[in-house]
Amino acid sequence: MSQFSHLNSEQAVQLMFERQVQVADIRDSGSYIQGHIAGAVQLSNENLADFIAEAEPQNPLLVVCYHGVSSQGASQYLAEQGFQEVYSLDGGMSSFAMQYPEMLVSG
């Protein structure tokens, strides 16, 4: 069974600087628009199938939610869909935004 791993904000930023990381933000549209990691795709039930079909399963995938709880279930699901290297962001956007506000974009 495929598994995901956990990363804290510092580890996630380091990975983003070292490799081409796909970021899936599973928060609601309003929260995503207010601020998300640059390059992140807002992932919802409506676009999940398209994301799985179009994403690069061999590239690292970072899953982001509000506080790092619901991203764990989504990470497990995506790992089971064939993504080889899946990470759940511990502390979610609430932690990431406090530590790395310069890496966020809005709109």
Side-chain angles (χ1 to χ4, degrees), residues 4 26 63-65 68-76 87-90:
F4 69 94
I26 63 170
V63 183
V64 180
C65 66
V69 178
S70 50
S71 61
Q72 294 178 55
S75 295
Q76 182 61 45
Y87 300 98
S88 175
L89 181 63
D90 288 345

Side-chain angles (χ1 to χ4, degrees), residues 3 19 24 37 40-41 50-51 54 66 70-71 82-83 106:
Q3 294 290 318
R19 309 205 21 224
I37 296 171
V41 172
D50 289 339
F51 176 81
E54 296 168 7
Y66 295 99
S70 50
S71 61
F83 287 88
S106 58

Side-chain angles (χ1 to χ4, degrees), residues 74-105:
S75 295
Q76 182 61 45
Y77 176 78
L78 290 164
E80 291 168 359
Q81 301 311 304
F83 287 88
Q84 299 164 11
E85 193 176 341
V86 183
Y87 300 98
S88 175
L89 181 63
D90 288 345
M93 278 301 293
S94 59
S95 175
F96 190 91
M98 288 191 331
Q99 290 182 266
Y100 298 99
E102 70 279 5
M103 294 188 69
L104 303 182
V105 294

Side-chain angles (χ1 to χ4, degrees), residues 36-48:
H36 56 272
I37 296 171
V41 172
Q42 186 198 9
L43 195 57
S44 66
N45 288 334
E46 287 75 36
N47 68 350
L48 179 60

